[in-house]
Amino acid sequence: MKRLNFADKYEKNANYQLNQLNKAIYRYGGSVNNKARLYKYVSSKRQYEIMQPRTLKFLGDKITKQLSKKISANYEGKYSMFTLVTGFNFGKDNWNMNYDKLKKRTQKLLKGYSYIATIALDEFPKARFMDEGVLMSWHVHGIFFKEPSRWFKGKINQKISPAGYFITPLVFRHYDRLIDAVYYAFKSPFGGKIRYRDRKNIKTSKNTSISLKSLYDTLVHLKGVKRQDFMFAGGKGKKILKRILEDLNNERA
């Protein structure tokens, strides 16, 4: 069987996410009128809100179109996206997200580099954040115009590691196509993770599902947050982001 690229899984992933959201709304949405409003909300493809699965394709295609004018594959013919974890966690009982601080922290760490990025969210359903509920981890996904040197990556990891992390704060995924890097970077928070030790006794994590109740809670708290609300950029990426936002505004006009 041919292995699908990440962007090619859009239809399957979006259908699954819509199905889970609809189940969560049916079970926990309360009145018929409230359920109807939420069903309509999650199925939309034109508002670009973060809890609407179908918007990834339209936004992802716009970002890819703009980035393709400035980014070329590396010497291995790959496109890369990065994940940066800097320690802005919170408990799901209070939703103290602090994403403005995360954005400012990231911009300071990546100063001098050109990139476009977004704030992402992981839920760890089997872990707790102090006495404040299920552990939620804000982090950053993004794409550099030019992948940083090994020295720069090491410098970033040294700055963050003393904070008590058992993971590598700055990591990269590489793709044969730019569109796959973009789709992965700008996907919505519909899954969870669990931490475990691998065969070498190294702490790592893997994907897991989250309960419908937890998914509904995320929907309620993030409903109304647009994907572009979490997007930011550095260096030459600022012009690209401006064009993307102008394109979205023109579409709504």
Side-chain angles (χ1 to χ4, degrees):
M1 176 182 285
K2 182 180 178 181
R3 182 180 179 183
L4 292 176
N5 292 310
F6 190 83
D8 295 332
K9 300 176 184 178
Y10 160 77
E11 192 76 24
K12 178 181 178 181
N13 289 339
N15 282 331
Y16 173 77
Q17 292 157 2
L18 279 170
N19 185 49
Q20 290 299 100
L21 284 166
N22 285 332
K23 285 181 180 178
I25 292 168
Y26 177 78
R27 186 170 298 181
Y28 300 105
S31 69
V32 171
N33 287 340
N34 187 57
K35 288 177 181 177
R37 284 192 294 267
L38 290 175
Y39 288 141
K40 183 178 180 180
Y41 167 83
V42 300
S43 64
S44 175
K45 63 181 180 181
R46 289 297 186 185
Q47 295 302 312
Y48 298 103
E49 298 191 18
I50 200 165
M51 295 303 292
Q52 295 171 336
R54 298 174 70 196
T55 65
L56 175 60
K57 177 174 175 54
F58 299 94
L59 181 61
D61 290 352
K62 291 179 184 297
I63 295 172
T64 302
K65 180 181 178 180
Q66 293 294 336
L67 285 179
S68 64
K69 301 173 183 178
K70 295 291 183 180
I71 296 179
S72 57
N74 65 16
Y75 69 95
E76 295 178 327
K78 302 285 187 178
Y79 295 91
S80 63
M81 61 80 55
F82 69 88
T83 299
L84 179 63
V85 180
T86 58
F88 285 87
N89 300 327
F90 64 93
K92 203 163 186 178
D93 289 349
N94 62 17
W95 282 88
N96 183 20
M97 297 182 287
N98 288 327
Y99 47 80
D100 288 332
K101 291 184 178 179
L102 172 55
K103 182 175 74 172
K104 291 177 181 177
R105 168 70 166 156
T106 301
Q107 290 173 325
K108 184 177 180 180
L109 287 168
L110 304 183
K111 185 177 180 179
Y113 283 82
S114 296
Y115 62 89
I116 183 171
T118 188
I119 294 173
L121 176 66
D122 274 338
E123 176 173 339
F124 290 80
K126 295 186 178 181
R128 306 282 295 181
F129 180 74
M130 298 188 286
D131 61 347
E132 299 178 10
V134 172
L135 172 64
M136 307 294 284
S137 176
W138 285 107
H139 54 285
V140 175
H141 284 165
I143 298 174
F144 283 109
F145 282 30
K146 181 180 180 181
E147 187 167 331
S149 66
R150 184 180 301 177
W151 174 86
F152 176 80
K153 296 175 187 177
K155 180 181 177 182
I156 296 297
N157 288 330
Q158 286 177 356
K159 282 186 176 182
I160 301 174
S161 293
Y165 278 91
F166 299 102
I167 61 172
T168 303
L170 178 63
V171 296
F172 287 79
R173 288 173 177 258
H174 295 90
Y175 298 88
D176 293 328
R177 306 184 307 177
L178 176 60
I179 193 170
D180 296 307
V182 170
Y183 268 50
Y184 189 93
F186 291 89
K187 62 187 178 66
S188 292
F190 293 114
K193 288 188 177 180
I194 56 174
R195 291 173 174 169
Y196 71 101
R197 291 184 179 273
D198 63 17
R199 294 180 180 179
K200 296 181 180 180
N201 202 35
I202 298 175
K203 285 188 176 181
T204 185
S205 62
K206 64 180 179 181
N207 295 331
T208 189
S209 59
I210 59 176
S211 69
L212 294 179
K213 178 67 172 65
S214 189
L215 181 59
Y216 183 78
D217 189 43
T218 299
L219 170 63
V220 169
H221 279 87
L222 295 184
K223 185 172 71 70
V225 177
K226 293 179 172 56
R227 291 172 186 264
Q228 54 265 40
D229 293 340
F230 284 169
M231 293 168 63
F232 60 99
K236 296 178 181 178
K238 293 180 180 179
K239 288 186 178 181
I240 296 296
L241 179 57
K242 183 179 179 180
R243 290 173 190 159
I244 293 168
L245 297 180
E246 287 175 348
D247 193 10
L248 295 181
N249 289 332
N250 290 336
E251 183 181 88
R252 291 197 299 270

